[in-house]
Amino acid sequence: MDSFEQDGNGAAPDSLPPPPPVPPDVVPIKAEPEPAKKKVVRVPMARRGLGSKGQKITLLTNHFKVNVGSSDGHFFHYCVSLYYEDGRPVDGKGVGRKVIERVQETYGNELAGKDFAYDGEKSLFTVGALPNNKHEFTVVLEDVTSNRNNGNASPDVHDDSNGQDRKRIKRPYQSKTFKVEISFAAKIPMQAIQNALRGQESENSQEALRVLDIILRQHAAKQGCLLVRQSFFQNNPDNFTDIGGGVLGCRGFHSSFRASQGGLSLNIDVSTTMIIRPGPVVDFLLANQNARDPYSLDWTKAKRSLKNLRIKVSPSNQEYKITGLSEQLCKDQLFSLKQKSMKNDNGEAENLEITVYDYFVNHRNIQLRYSADLPCINVGKPKRPTYIPLELCSLVSLQRYTKALTTFQRASLVEKSRQKPQERMTVLSSALQRSNYGAEPMLRSCGISISTNFTQVEGRVLPAPRLKVGNGEDFFPRNGRWNFNNKKLVEPTKIERWAVVNFSARCDTNSLVRDLIRCGDMKGIRIDPPFDVFQESNQNRRCSPLVRVEKMFEDIQSKLPGAPQFLLCLLPDRKNSDLYGPWKKKNLSEFGIVTQCMAPTRVNDQYLTNLLLKINAKLGGLNSMLAIEQTPSIPVVSKVPTIILGMDVSHGSPGQSDIPSIAAVVSSRQWPLISRYRASVRTQSPKLEMIDSLFKKVSDKEDEGIMREVLLDFYTSSGKRKPDQIIIFRDGVSESQFNQVLNIELDQVIEACKFLDESWNPKFVVIVAQKNHHTKFFQQGSPDNVPPGTVIDNKICHPKNNDFYLCAHAGMIGTTRPTHYHVLLDQIGFSADDLQELVHSLSYVYQRSTTAISVVAPICYAHLAAAQVGTFMKFEDASETNSSHGGVTAPGAISVPQLPRLKENVCNSMFFC
């Protein structure tokens, strides 16, 4: 290596001849630096063939065939700029559609009567060109209260109160002048759609499909729908369902055009979003804070939850956006009212100081029942507040609620929005009929018509893999599930030094321990009597979670002779106990103790058996394994040392934009097994989707990245073998990020391998798993979900790329959501059948449950590890988290707090199980 570093040619500098003299008339050409070895840009691989294994099954899917007529025309893309009369750009969203509609009404002739597909912001498309490359128009809109902003009241109006009479309220909104510039940006051949259907995707074909999506969005917008990306929601109370806290689930539809092997299809699905409960503001606040009456509301909280929401004010029915609340109560809040009747010496109108309450009741004769003792709603500008009494304000419908849902709201939403397959098909059929796309002029002008029949596809049902349990028994799962009744675990552990810790949960610990030992015995786990049961003392229950955990540990340390092998922890709350994070952190990163938490409500043998599955896996046992894993005879994987990775990044919930994201990589160990895993977890910049710590060179000899940790563990746990095959399952990336996974992330993985051993060239397989898509499958004429093991790799799959859908699990409630697997790279050379079978088998090695799961186990484990370690972060004070590990700080970036490392004896365990 070093010999190459002296000179680019590998020769010593002094052996070169002198350069030839330069003739006088030569103009020197600037020497281009010799191009570095050009980096190969990887793109997703093409499909090599279709699978054939399994029993054939005919299915229907929610893709509707689209017929594309003429393909010789062009879409023309124009940029739209909107300005107010005084030249300021229009910032409010939502007003754009009204302005463009007015442009079409007013200037139809100058625009050759063309229809527009407008995205509501900066882009507008037409079929065929407009008469000129640049158009400028002026339009006037009456009453600009758009459905998105408060109409940008003109700066010259005195909004120092709502103290104008009705005429003055209306004046600034009467009319508003806009300047509109429409200028040519690009030309997109419609032929690009045909090319995409042949698998020749290009920038153009994605743009052309985007135009079609925009036509559908605009179609929905004209009907007054709320648009959320590719979904739209109608203002129909039949579609609303209350999920608590002043929030409604609102059912609508997703629709998008997809290029597939069977041609162009329109994918339509049911979609749900959250909206604020429309109606009186006070009702929303009471529900949101679960308060008894308006006088017990927390107004600081109310101000946060109301900011930027749109209201209608009675009696004028005028619409505004809430900017805040008044400092004082309605009966005390003063403002200056201009008195036209009273002039001062200069002939100007006198100002009268008056309270909001007095003004509304005495000057406007509006009765107020309860607003006097509450703050007012402010809809004015920062320097010019406009106050309105609370009871005159009603929230407008279809306003999205974007904050994180509580556990209860989420459960309620899931419960109320699920639909059985047949019901979902009926709803989709009628939605397609109602939307009447056949009448959409722009679709007609591109010669597009949409079939109203569900597309029929051919699926195959893969047989369930055979499983091994204790005493050499094997058995076949039925319908994607099995149980351990009268069976022993395949590798049970012994639990010798352990204790119970009870954080004030109401529970008879003696009988719990007795039952646990008895259930363990039935499964082959030998459990000694616990060393002790630590009950939390009453005075500690009122302390903060961190202190409660500290005090409990002081107690444990004073009584136990040494570190226990295992602690069973009883928590008082069923969901999201705030003791969970500090307790896990203390055990795993400070003491290296395996711990299992439980909330002892409704404990029966089934519950305890499930608990023991998790405990056994955490302590290094195995509950069941694949027969082909034991023999070992997994195609391709058993022949050559192979590591299987699951990668995921989890982000803070919406509204917590500054919480670091957490990247987790889960890796198989003890080859040829594919049932044992460990996890490596790191924090990274908020909302960053690519994992940035796979390779982290800190010096010439040191790499602190995740991959090194993972590869060294594989080496030591697999009999000093390096993996020659690396299979990566990546979760949570969209199609637009596939190239980054292949070029940014995979490069880091390769660098980490080279850093360990320059001469080592493992082969890679990269597979992305997607759950949040909108493709569903139905059995024709059957009320049931598709059977577990159903795989689809034709017709509605990508025209060229290597993708397939798999429903590995038995959908018990609602409609099964298949997992969409995209094989981006395969250097090993799997056949379609072998790869689909491997993915199917990996849905059966999840140690926490006795069912097949909907996505491969390594990805599920990566979710769990990220979530569990994420709870460490929640409870720390900021000074502590920015510890000496020093975050990744690019110039100007915020430092990301590092996670504590787990202790050696637990970091290779399945602690996340």
Side-chain angles (χ1 to χ4, degrees):
M1 185 72 193
D2 300 332
S3 58
F4 284 93
E5 282 170 9
Q6 290 155 5
D7 185 285
N9 309 325
D14 54 9
S15 60
L16 298 173
V22 180
D25 56 341
V26 165
V27 179
I29 301 170
K30 184 166 178 283
E32 290 295 324
E34 203 165 300
K37 223 172 159 187
K38 190 145 171 47
K39 200 173 145 332
V40 187
V41 175
R42 302 182 194 91
V43 294
M45 68 179 283
R47 184 187 305 282
R48 293 189 186 135
L50 300 174
S52 60
K53 280 195 179 159
Q55 189 161 8
K56 290 198 168 31
I57 181 173
T58 302
L59 301 169
L60 295 176
T61 175
N62 57 341
H63 286 238
F64 299 87
K65 181 142 182 55
V66 177
N67 292 311
V68 188
S70 64
S71 59
D72 45 1
H74 286 82
F75 290 121
F76 281 73
H77 178 187
Y78 295 88
C79 275
V80 176
S81 308
L82 304 179
Y83 303 94
Y84 294 115
E85 216 169 355
D86 58 6
R88 285 177 306 137
V90 173
D91 46 2
K93 281 189 186 174
V95 74
R97 287 193 192 275
K98 292 192 170 175
V99 172
I100 293 297
E101 268 172 44
R102 180 52 52 92
V103 166
Q104 273 185 293
E105 286 163 24
T106 319
Y107 299 98
N109 294 340
E110 284 106 300
L111 296 165
K114 286 255 178 243
D115 289 308
F116 290 171
Y118 175 51
D119 72 352
E121 297 191 21
K122 301 253 187 291
S123 295
L124 183 150
F125 300 87
T126 55
V127 177
L130 292 176
N132 299 314
N133 274 352
K134 187 157 189 181
H135 291 266
E136 296 194 13
F137 300 112
T138 304
V139 291
V140 175
L141 279 193
E142 289 76 46
D143 184 22
V144 188
T145 43
S146 80
N147 56 351
R148 281 282 170 273
N149 67 356
N150 63 348
N152 305 294
S154 3
D156 58 4
V157 57
H158 302 290
D159 303 48
D160 23 337
S161 73
N162 206 40
Q164 315 101 324
D165 43 26
R166 297 268 308 270
K167 290 197 285 299
R168 274 179 54 215
I169 287 187
K170 300 258 331 202
R171 195 182 66 222
Y173 296 96
Q174 280 279 281
S175 61
K176 194 96 182 141
T177 305
F178 293 91
K179 289 199 292 225
V180 184
E181 285 177 13
I182 298 177
S183 40
F184 172 76
K187 184 170 154 183
I188 307 156
M190 289 190 197
Q191 183 61 41
I193 296 177
Q194 301 291 358
N195 296 350
L197 303 180
R198 288 201 296 273
Q200 304 163 337
E201 265 189 286
S202 63
E203 199 71 4
N204 271 340
S205 61
Q206 279 156 3
E207 276 297 289
L209 289 180
R210 185 169 90 104
V211 178
L212 297 183
D213 283 334
I214 287 170
I215 295 173
L216 294 193
R217 281 177 61 95
Q218 175 174 282
H219 185 72
K222 282 184 174 159
Q223 296 162 4
C225 292
L226 160 70
L227 304 182
V228 183
R229 293 189 294 279
Q230 305 283 79
S231 298
F232 44 87
F233 303 90
Q234 283 165 329
N235 188 12
N236 175 356
D238 294 349
N239 297 338
F240 300 164
T241 167
D242 197 331
I243 60 168
V247 183
L248 307 180
C250 173
R251 199 175 73 189
F253 296 95
H254 161 93
S255 67
S256 59
F257 286 97
R258 319 267 315 165
S260 67
Q261 295 165 25
L264 188 64
S265 65
L266 178 65
N267 177 204
I268 300 185
D269 194 19
V270 177
S271 175
T272 307
T273 192
M274 278 75 65
I275 60 171
I276 301 272
R277 179 152 107 194
V281 170
V282 71
D283 291 354
F284 164 71
L285 290 175
L286 292 174
N288 185 249
Q289 298 187 16
N290 195 10
R292 286 188 315 285
D293 55 56
Y295 307 106
S296 47
L297 286 167
D298 170 343
W299 291 101
T300 323
K301 215 166 159 186
K303 185 173 174 179
R304 271 205 309 273
S305 54
L306 291 176
K307 195 162 168 51
N308 290 333
L309 292 180
R310 298 189 323 279
I311 51 168
K312 262 199 166 45
V313 173
S314 69
S316 66
N317 232 8
Q318 193 57 54
E319 213 178 279
Y320 297 96
K321 189 188 258 182
I322 299 178
T323 51
L325 295 172
S326 60
E327 295 291 311
Q328 281 150 322
L329 303 179
C330 181
K331 62 178 187 200
D332 305 325
Q333 182 68 52
L334 292 164
F335 71 94
S336 336
L337 177 64
K338 276 201 173 165
Q339 293 292 84
K340 287 216 181 82
S341 54
M342 295 166 60
K343 302 270 170 69
N344 62 13
D345 302 345
N346 305 336
E348 291 165 356
E350 284 273 343
N351 276 349
L352 172 69
E353 287 289 306
I354 179 176
T355 68
V356 177
Y357 181 80
D358 184 15
Y359 167 75
F360 274 89
V361 173
N362 299 328
H363 288 241
R364 299 269 305 274
N365 296 323
I366 295 172
Q367 288 309 305
L368 296 179
R369 296 194 322 279
Y370 58 81
S371 296
D373 297 308
L374 301 173
C376 304
I377 299 274
N378 178 9
V379 296
K381 303 230 164 35
K383 296 227 166 38
R384 294 179 168 161
T386 302
Y387 297 124
I388 303 170
L390 193 65
E391 67 194 77
L392 302 182
C393 303
S394 270
L395 290 161
V396 174
S397 192
L398 291 187
Q399 302 191 69
R400 284 183 74 196
Y401 178 81
T402 51
K403 300 185 178 59
L405 294 181
T406 65
T407 316
F408 297 107
Q409 283 174 324
R410 175 159 315 205
S412 174
L413 182 67
V414 168
E415 189 185 343
K416 290 177 176 172
S417 54
R418 57 179 174 230
Q419 293 168 311
K420 287 268 178 236
Q422 292 305 83
E423 185 192 346
R424 185 169 286 238
M425 284 180 80
T426 312
V427 168
L428 292 177
S429 283
S430 64
L432 188 54
Q433 242 100 46
R434 264 204 321 275
S435 57
N436 191 12
Y437 289 138
E440 168 55 56
M442 284 212 62
L443 289 180
R444 289 167 73 165
S445 56
C446 351
I448 277 183
S449 64
I450 298 166
S451 155
T452 52
N453 298 328
F454 286 77
T455 298
Q456 193 170 317
V457 292
E458 186 80 13
R460 292 171 288 112
V461 182
L462 302 178
R466 196 167 50 154
L467 297 181
K468 283 279 179 202
V469 286
N471 299 339
E473 274 186 75
D474 43 358
F475 64 97
F476 286 97
R478 302 244 314 259
N479 194 24
R481 33 196 341 113
W482 63 96
N483 64 44
F484 279 111
N485 295 350
N486 313 321
K487 294 188 175 61
K488 301 255 192 282
L489 306 183
V490 69
E491 284 182 25
T493 47
K494 289 198 215 36
I495 304 180
E496 293 161 332
R497 302 186 318 283
W498 71 290
V500 180
V501 171
N502 184 6
F503 283 103
S504 306
R506 288 200 297 282
C507 175
D508 173 355
T509 43
N510 290 339
S511 71
L512 175 70
V513 167
R514 249 198 334 272
D515 291 342
L516 193 68
I517 292 174
R518 178 175 53 78
C519 285
D521 187 51
M522 283 156 45
K523 300 286 150 268
I525 301 176
R526 206 188 84 226
I527 306 177
D528 291 349
F531 191 88
D532 205 343
V533 175
F534 295 92
Q535 300 283 1
E536 183 173 39
S537 66
N538 281 346
Q539 71 258 36
N540 291 348
R541 285 162 68 169
R542 290 186 224 11
C543 301
S544 72
L546 278 167
V547 173
R548 289 172 74 178
V549 169
E550 286 296 333
K551 292 216 189 284
M552 185 61 85
F553 259 95
E554 285 165 19
D555 197 15
I556 295 171
Q557 281 177 291
S558 67
K559 295 197 183 128
L560 288 186
Q565 176 196 6
F566 169 70
L567 288 175
L568 180 67
C569 170
L570 311 184
L571 296 173
D573 317 311
R574 279 228 28 223
K575 287 272 185 219
N576 299 352
S577 167
D578 45 7
L579 289 160
Y580 183 86
W583 171 255
K584 285 286 182 191
K585 182 180 173 196
K586 195 90 178 149
N587 278 280
L588 295 174
S589 67
E590 289 183 40
F591 291 101
I593 298 169
V594 174
T595 164
Q596 176 64 49
C597 294
M598 64 179 283
T601 46
R602 293 210 302 278
V603 174
N604 54 21
D605 280 11
Q606 179 65 59
Y607 179 95
L608 292 174
T609 303
N610 286 345
L611 200 70
L612 283 163
L613 293 181
K614 296 165 74 167
I615 295 170
N616 191 48
K618 285 178 180 173
L619 287 169
L622 265 187
N623 302 329
S624 60
M625 65 198 296
L626 302 170
I628 50 171
E629 188 177 8
Q630 203 176 40
T631 25
S633 55
I634 306 168
V636 188
V637 171
S638 300
K639 292 193 180 66
V640 179
T642 303
I643 187 171
I644 297 177
L645 307 177
M647 300 186 177
D648 185 34
V649 177
S650 75
H651 307 290
S653 46
Q656 305 174 301
S657 51
D658 48 351
I659 287 190
S661 291
I662 295 178
V665 176
V666 157
S667 56
S668 63
R669 45 202 318 265
Q670 295 182 11
W671 177 82
L673 294 186
I674 59 170
S675 286
R676 281 191 195 279
Y677 293 86
R678 71 183 296 280
S680 182
V681 186
R682 302 273 200 284
T683 44
Q684 56 183 35
S685 308
K687 303 278 174 269
L688 175 67
E689 193 44 77
M690 291 299 116
I691 301 178
D692 70 356
S693 47
L694 292 167
F695 176 62
K696 230 183 197 160
K697 189 170 162 182
V698 285
S699 72
D700 285 347
K701 294 274 178 287
E702 276 180 293
D703 158 22
E704 283 183 357
I706 293 177
M707 280 311 299
R708 182 185 179 90
E709 187 182 313
V710 157
L711 293 167
L712 290 175
D713 171 72
F714 181 89
Y715 183 74
T716 49
S717 72
S718 306
K720 303 244 182 314
R721 290 188 190 82
K722 286 182 201 140
D724 287 322
Q725 299 178 150
I726 297 180
I727 300 177
I728 296 172
F729 285 97
R730 178 69 162 91
D731 188 30
V733 288
S734 61
E735 283 161 56
S736 59
Q737 298 164 315
F738 287 178
N739 288 343
Q740 290 172 284
V741 169
L742 277 177
N743 295 291
I744 299 173
E745 285 186 346
L746 185 57
D747 273 356
Q748 284 191 59
V749 173
I750 292 170
E751 274 187 87
C753 293
K754 290 284 177 214
F755 197 76
L756 274 168
D757 176 355
E758 184 66 43
S759 62
W760 168 43
N761 288 313
K763 290 183 170 154
F764 289 94
V765 172
V766 179
I767 301 174
V768 168
Q770 284 178 337
K771 285 280 286 183
N772 51 352
H773 55 82
H774 285 278
T775 296
K776 301 283 192 303
F777 297 104
F778 306 92
Q779 293 198 63
Q780 199 159 5
S782 158
D784 297 333
N785 271 309
V786 298
T790 301
V791 62
I792 292 99
D793 60 5
N794 57 57
K795 200 144 182 189
I796 59 152
C797 290
H798 194 279
K800 183 181 92 203
N801 295 354
N802 191 355
D803 65 330
F804 62 92
Y805 291 91
L806 173 67
C807 299
H809 65 303
M812 288 293 142
I813 38 186
T815 306
T816 303
R817 178 178 294 197
T819 298
H820 193 182
Y821 291 99
H822 303 259
V823 185
L824 303 188
L825 175 71
D826 172 12
Q827 298 174 336
I828 297 173
F830 273 97
S831 71
D833 278 327
D834 283 347
L835 193 59
Q836 289 168 13
E837 214 161 338
L838 174 67
V839 171
H840 187 223
S841 298
L842 283 169
S843 308
Y844 277 84
V845 301
Y846 188 60
Q847 299 295 309
R848 283 167 49 118
S849 72
T850 56
T851 59
I853 50 174
S854 63
V855 67
V856 290
I859 281 182
C860 278
Y861 289 147
H863 276 298
L864 290 173
Q868 186 172 128
V869 176
T871 62
F872 289 13
M873 310 280 294
K874 265 190 200 157
F875 303 96
E876 308 208 323
D877 119 340
S879 61
E880 199 179 68
T881 49
N882 290 333
S883 60
S884 56
H885 292 296
V888 197
T889 33
I894 48 170
S895 87
V896 176
Q898 297 292 308
L899 290 166
R901 288 297 165 90
L902 305 187
K903 282 275 181 270
E904 290 73 49
N905 53 335
V906 287
C907 76
N908 294 331
S909 75
M910 294 189 31
F911 68 85
F912 42 79
C913 222

